[in-house]
Amino acid sequence: MRLVLERRAERSKLMTWLSPLLAVGLTLVTGAVIFSLMGLDPARALYVYFLEPVLWWWSLEELVVKAAPLVLIGVGLAVCFRANVWNIGAEGQLTMGALFGSALPILWHEFQSFPVMVLMLALGALGGALYAAIPAFLRTRFGTNEILTSLMLVYVAQLIADWFIRGPWRDPAGFNFPKSVQFEGWQLLPTLGDGRIHLGAGLALVAVAVLYVVMSRTLKGFEVRVVGTAPRAGTFAGFSSKRMVWFCLLLSGGLAGLAGICEVAGPSGHLQPAISPGYGFTAIIVAFLGRLNPVGVLVAGVMLGISYLGGEAAQIDLGISDKTAQVFQGILLFFILACDTLILYRIRLLRPHTA
Amino acid sequence: MSDFLLEAVHITKKFGDFAANDDVTLRLRPGEIHALLGENGAGKSTLVKMMYGALQPTEGELHWRGKPVRIANPAAARSLGIGMVFQHFSLFEALSVTENIALALPGKAGMQELSARIAAVSREYGLPLEPGALVADLSVGQRQRIEIVRCLLQEPALLIMDEPTAVLTPQEADQLFVTLRRLASEGCAILYISHRLEEVKTLCHEATILRRGKVVATVDPRRETAASLARHMVGVDVAVVSTRAGAVAGEPILTLDHVSLPADGPFGTALRDVSLRIGAGEIVAIAGVAGNGQSELFDAVSGERVDGLTGSITLAGQVCAGRGIKARRALGAAFVPEERLGHGAVPDFPLSQNVILTRFAVDDGMVRRGLVNLGLAGDVAGRVAGAFDVRTSSNDPEARSLSGGNLQKFVIGRELDRKPRLLVVNQPTWGVDAGAAAVIRQALIDLAEGGSAVLVISQDLDEIFAIADRIAVISRGELSEAKPTATLDREAIGLLMAGAHETASHDKAAS
């Protein structure tokens, strides 16, 4: 007896949505096994990790703060991946967005009226888009693989940011800590009440709504889907695959840059070496878990946000490294990609037959 | 004990209802170079794939050295002593010759030892190869030698070669023939697939000719002429169908003037100085063996590739060599590529969205202020399905779920629904069942009757004779002059197709 994968005639609509749930379930089971191997009570560990973050108001608020950048970056990446453009460097574009946007409050600290916020956000998006333009140019001009270039540029961006923060942009009154001056007035994003939820969450919702309409109703969205699934048919339709590479990278880079400046002008309020806990990378998982669908990305962003909070909670309550959050995220991506096979294939049990 | 090495006995292979091989019997003796001839789609590949274990016959059986045998997979074929050199090589460019061969050999051999064997075998058979060379640095001919040496290392009793000279220069081909004759003299049987009839005449001892999945003749090619072989391939038993009476070409719709286009990838054929004129109301067909520049010609006419194109293209009075496919559609042209899934239609999309693919830029109201009108697209899809009898399992199914014939009817219907002034279609009925093929051919004729120009690129001579007013032949990227169908016969076309471009005029004068 053996198992074979058999191609389905059509993509299974059911499996398209069941696959991520299956992946989440398998991740939980695997998590439980890992926890018990570590000598922890798996039930308690899973509770701390995945349930506690959604049981308190303050932690729900924190969840929104964590989910906002994931969703903002994730929707951009979802469009990218749909078009078969593999921007893996959102983390770098986020960093560049944070740097560009921070230039105003750092270099012109007295400029604290309302327009500064608009300009900061615009500069953030511009920084991310410009940084994503590098892999776009290399790909369209020289055929370079954007997976490699965008990924490697992440580390370049982080080193550039580090140099600025430890060098020319360090707060002179900051006791030599590697951080910039504290932003003030409209240099900080408005928050919901006195809490931690900031404008970034609103921007994420707008991005989801706009891209949902773009992808499902407009010719541009149609173009993205055609070029992504059948490039030859895209050429036949008259769509330019080069322009598509530019569009996707500029869009996703811009959104990542926007997420970057929102992090700096939101939760932190100043520029520091650790701008994000890897939102740009986690957003890749968000995009896939959300079926590369903007609304799905919204849900997935919240789920991955939980894994960040759970990681912090587990560090405090269970005394294990918060790096386990990344382990979980990796396992989750692995299972999603595996389960997605079931969309186009079904598993069949073959009994040995005598010829 | 039978004196045959491999026998295919009454083999039938069906794909759905379509019989790619129908009761095929072929016998190979040791030491024989046996040609397998036929037009594209005649079933040659299907047959050798079964001999090599890549496909299983639906009916009939294979005999190896007189005993029935089931060749479950290529590894089983290799262990019997059957080697195959494919038309498209499977080599890793980043690896050396030795490493590539090591990957294909069973068991683990020492690299040093293997290199020595490769050097020895390649020297012995006159196939010079440097074992340490990187494949990326080698020419196509040298890469083919790797594939041949790879087979020879396993000391095959039967070597199958799929159009080996298609990618070789004449000199490389001559060298290959020396090797093949040497192998045959040592008792190795060779099954040789080729479209080049002159080559088959000089090299092969016997030839089996397939047409539409059936064996139509087994002959000694040394006693045939290229013309008689061509006649077998394209068929003389089918009467020449007279075309529509009195089709008079109107004003020119499409004019190609000295058009050249570089090859589409390493296995493509560059288009060289092609000129053609099609008038309103006429059907012009382009015959030719696959891979002689048909896809390049389609790309040039459709505007899918404009980079690197030289010469001029005029469509409905407008110069458009530098303009893309959208602009050409806007001028009233419509296109149907050879590959239905993935080129003419997006497999994952429902039919309605596949309507948008070619019509978003030309149909009123299909796209308004950037928004796609899915309802209108659905209406068009329904109309096309109704008019062309596209049978679907559900209301608006994904393109991939349709059978070849139904999808082809949809893809052609989608364009005809626009009432184009020019329709360019590559292989209109390839892999399509007879019923759908008849519908499609009738639709093309009706379109021309209505005053549109139709350009058909096809490898099916029956089809060409049935519908074309004028016929041109494409061979190695060059296009012959389009002549009225009534003045041509199969033999002349078969010769032009087989690459006898220069001798064609003499031959026709003689006949």
Side-chain angles (χ1 to χ4, degrees):
Chain A
M1 249 183 334
R2 61 197 176 107
L3 293 170
V4 290
L5 284 174
E6 191 180 73
R7 201 180 173 92
R8 297 175 194 264
E10 289 199 38
R11 300 163 62 83
S12 161
K13 296 232 162 49
L14 178 70
M15 281 316 296
T16 308
W17 292 100
L18 215 55
S19 154
L21 297 180
L22 205 60
V24 169
L26 287 167
T27 305
L28 291 182
V29 171
T30 313
V33 171
I34 292 175
F35 283 132
S36 46
L37 285 176
M38 290 167 80
L40 297 165
D41 173 13
R44 187 173 124 69
L46 288 178
Y47 172 81
V48 169
Y49 223 98
F50 295 105
L51 224 48
E52 228 173 34
V54 291
L55 294 180
W56 312 96
W57 170 247
W58 67 266
S59 60
L60 279 177
E61 208 175 13
E62 198 58 32
L63 180 55
V64 174
V65 171
K66 294 266 193 290
L70 289 176
V71 171
L72 204 49
I73 304 169
V75 280
L77 292 184
V79 173
C80 248
F81 297 165
R82 263 288 164 91
N84 248 332
V85 176
W86 301 99
N87 179 8
I88 306 298
E91 185 75 7
Q93 293 138 24
L94 175 150
T95 306
M96 274 300 165
L99 270 188
F100 267 63
S102 301
L104 264 185
I106 290 172
L107 299 176
W108 189 5
H109 197 61
E110 311 80 62
F111 183 19
Q112 294 178 4
S113 55
F114 175 73
V116 77
M117 186 188 75
V118 179
L119 284 175
M120 280 168 68
L121 291 177
L123 274 174
L126 179 72
L130 282 180
Y131 206 56
I134 301 173
F137 172 75
L138 293 175
R139 157 91 185 255
T140 51
R141 184 73 180 73
F142 302 109
T144 321
N145 186 325
E146 75 278 11
I147 297 178
L148 297 177
T149 51
S150 65
L151 176 63
M152 292 191 290
L153 283 167
V154 169
Y155 308 108
V156 176
Q158 287 172 341
L159 289 173
I160 292 173
D162 219 51
W163 180 78
F164 269 102
I165 296 160
R166 290 174 200 275
W169 285 6
R170 181 155 56 182
D171 181 3
F175 306 104
N176 238 354
F177 280 108
K179 67 190 245 341
S180 74
V181 291
Q182 189 67 27
F183 298 178
E184 279 170 58
W186 281 103
Q187 292 167 353
L188 290 168
L189 294 181
T191 56
L192 189 68
D194 288 333
R196 305 236 315 141
I197 299 178
H198 56 83
L199 184 64
L203 291 175
L205 285 178
V206 171
V208 165
V210 169
L211 286 179
Y212 175 76
V213 173
V214 166
M215 289 304 288
S216 60
R217 296 305 312 273
T218 67
L219 185 63
K220 194 74 199 171
F222 180 76
E223 186 180 335
V224 168
R225 292 186 292 128
V226 172
V227 172
T229 57
R232 197 76 219 271
T235 316
F236 181 61
F239 300 140
S240 155
S241 60
K242 286 189 176 177
R243 273 213 303 271
M244 183 50 64
V245 170
W246 279 103
F247 170 78
C248 288
L249 278 164
L250 292 183
L251 174 77
S252 59
L255 287 172
L258 195 58
I261 186 59
C262 285
E263 275 309 289
V264 176
S268 351
H270 58 258
L271 202 55
Q272 61 191 31
I275 297 168
S276 113
Y279 288 139
F281 291 119
T282 308
I284 298 169
I285 307 172
V286 169
F288 276 110
L289 186 65
R291 314 284 69 202
L292 305 184
N293 171 314
V295 177
V297 164
L298 184 62
V299 178
V302 172
M303 292 182 65
L304 266 298
I306 292 176
S307 79
Y308 273 117
L309 288 184
E312 288 171 10
Q315 191 177 24
I316 297 163
D317 281 13
L318 306 171
I320 54 176
S321 163
D322 64 346
K323 291 283 185 289
T324 45
Q326 290 177 17
V327 173
F328 271 115
Q329 292 170 2
I331 294 173
L332 183 59
L333 179 61
F334 177 79
F335 278 125
I336 297 168
L337 296 178
C339 291
D340 276 359
T341 310
L342 297 174
I343 296 172
L344 207 50
Y345 294 85
R346 63 166 66 89
I347 295 179
R348 249 188 33 172
L349 199 63
L350 268 198
R351 285 163 210 290
H353 61 94
T354 42
Chain B
M1 178 79 192
S2 151
D3 54 345
F4 292 112
L5 181 68
L6 179 71
E7 293 165 90
V9 187
H10 300 298
I11 294 267
T12 295
K13 175 69 187 176
K14 286 190 173 172
F15 296 104
D17 293 336
F18 175 71
N21 277 178
D22 189 354
D23 195 22
V24 170
T25 298
L26 187 153
R27 296 192 162 88
L28 284 166
R29 287 184 188 84
E32 172 186 59
I33 305 182
H34 192 121
L36 185 57
L37 299 176
E39 292 181 278
N40 270 80
K44 305 185 299 285
S45 300
T46 307
L47 182 61
V48 296
K49 276 182 187 161
M50 286 187 280
M51 292 179 174
Y52 195 58
L55 286 175
Q56 297 302 322
T58 316
E59 284 165 41
E61 53 188 18
L62 295 168
H63 292 192
W64 181 254
R65 298 188 197 279
K67 296 195 190 76
V69 63
R70 195 177 102 85
I71 304 173
N73 51 51
R78 284 194 292 269
S79 67
L80 283 177
I82 301 175
M84 179 152 177
V85 177
F86 289 93
Q87 196 178 359
H88 293 192
F89 313 139
S90 42
L91 297 170
F92 294 95
E93 293 204 342
L95 299 182
S96 74
V97 172
T98 309
E99 286 164 335
N100 265 289
I101 291 179
L103 280 171
L105 292 181
K108 285 193 181 131
M111 284 303 210
Q112 298 258 309
E113 185 198 337
L114 187 58
S115 292
R117 278 177 66 204
I118 291 169
V121 168
S122 66
R123 208 167 33 239
E124 196 184 331
Y125 287 95
L127 299 162
L129 263 185
E130 170 58 51
L134 215 55
V135 170
D137 299 333
L138 301 183
S139 72
V140 177
Q142 288 169 315
R143 292 180 192 204
Q144 187 183 54
R145 279 183 217 149
I146 304 177
E147 297 269 359
I148 298 173
V149 168
R150 174 146 92 184
C151 289
L152 294 185
L153 283 176
Q154 301 187 54
E155 286 151 17
L158 167 62
L159 189 60
I160 303 173
M161 307 205 76
D162 190 1
E163 295 195 46
T165 54
V167 292
L168 300 184
T169 63
Q171 293 73 20
E172 285 173 326
D174 288 341
Q175 204 172 3
L176 174 69
F177 298 155
V178 173
T179 306
L180 293 182
R181 287 198 182 101
R182 161 94 193 268
L183 272 171
S185 72
E186 290 173 2
C188 179
I190 293 163
L191 186 62
Y192 189 85
I193 301 178
S194 178
H195 286 299
R196 306 213 174 144
L197 302 177
E198 289 299 339
E199 188 176 291
V200 166
K201 262 171 60 60
T202 55
L203 182 69
C204 300
H205 309 125
E206 188 158 286
T208 297
I209 302 165
L210 291 180
R211 176 151 34 98
R212 308 204 157 183
K214 289 186 177 152
V215 176
V216 289
T218 302
V219 297
D220 180 345
R222 291 166 294 191
R223 292 196 202 137
E224 301 279 327
T225 63
S228 66
L229 287 173
R231 199 157 49 225
H232 281 304
M233 278 168 64
V234 299
V236 282
D237 51 332
V238 188
V240 175
V241 185
S242 68
T243 177
R244 302 169 291 122
V248 179
E251 93 260 32
I253 300 286
L254 174 72
T255 310
L256 303 184
D257 238 346
H258 303 292
V259 169
S260 296
L261 184 68
D264 181 15
F267 294 104
T269 306
L271 219 52
R272 286 186 296 191
D273 198 25
V274 166
S275 296
L276 181 70
R277 175 184 299 250
I278 306 176
E282 76 171 337
I283 301 180
V284 174
I286 304 218
V289 171
N292 272 289
Q294 285 95 332
S295 57
E296 283 79 4
L297 179 64
F298 182 85
D299 287 351
V301 173
S302 69
E304 273 189 80
R305 282 175 64 205
V306 287
D307 290 344
L309 186 134
T310 57
S312 91
I313 299 177
T314 313
L315 183 61
Q318 302 253 5
V319 175
C320 62
R323 294 160 83 179
I325 190 165
K326 267 194 289 184
R328 297 189 196 189
R329 285 200 183 102
L331 288 171
F335 308 97
V336 178
E338 176 178 4
E339 193 68 37
R340 295 179 276 270
L341 275 179
H343 192 174
V346 182
D348 293 347
F349 283 12
L351 294 185
S352 58
Q353 297 195 21
N354 270 303
V355 164
I356 302 170
L357 194 68
T358 61
R359 301 184 48 163
F360 66 92
V362 285
D363 281 28
D364 282 343
M366 195 64 93
V367 177
R368 249 188 227 136
R369 278 187 246 110
L371 292 181
V372 172
N373 189 341
L374 288 172
L376 180 62
D379 292 347
V380 174
R383 192 165 71 216
V384 169
F388 290 89
D389 188 28
V390 179
R391 287 171 211 165
T392 58
S393 51
S394 58
N395 189 24
D396 191 12
E398 284 177 10
R400 79 158 80 242
S401 71
L402 264 61
S403 73
N406 273 315
L407 186 57
Q408 186 71 0
K409 284 192 281 187
F410 171 78
V411 168
I412 291 185
R414 175 180 68 187
E415 305 308 322
L416 290 178
D417 182 68
R418 274 180 55 205
K419 302 190 176 56
R421 298 180 68 186
L422 168 71
L423 177 71
V424 181
V425 45
N426 192 359
Q427 296 280 49
T429 59
W430 189 79
V432 164
D433 61 277
V439 171
I440 289 167
R441 286 176 194 154
Q442 191 56 50
L444 296 180
I445 290 172
D446 291 348
L447 182 70
E449 301 264 285
S452 299
V454 179
L455 176 62
V456 176
I457 301 170
S458 177
Q459 288 153 40
D460 183 340
L461 275 186
D462 289 338
E463 169 168 284
I464 286 178
F465 274 106
I467 63 175
D469 299 310
R470 287 190 297 141
I471 303 175
V473 177
I474 191 165
S475 172
R476 297 183 200 179
E478 292 177 25
L479 191 68
S480 73
E481 191 195 334
K483 300 224 169 100
T485 307
T487 67
L488 292 168
D489 59 15
R490 276 157 201 279
E491 198 171 311
I493 288 181
L495 275 173
L496 285 168
M497 279 168 61
H501 215 143
E502 308 77 28
T503 58
S505 47
H506 306 293
D507 212 87
K508 201 147 64 14
S511 66

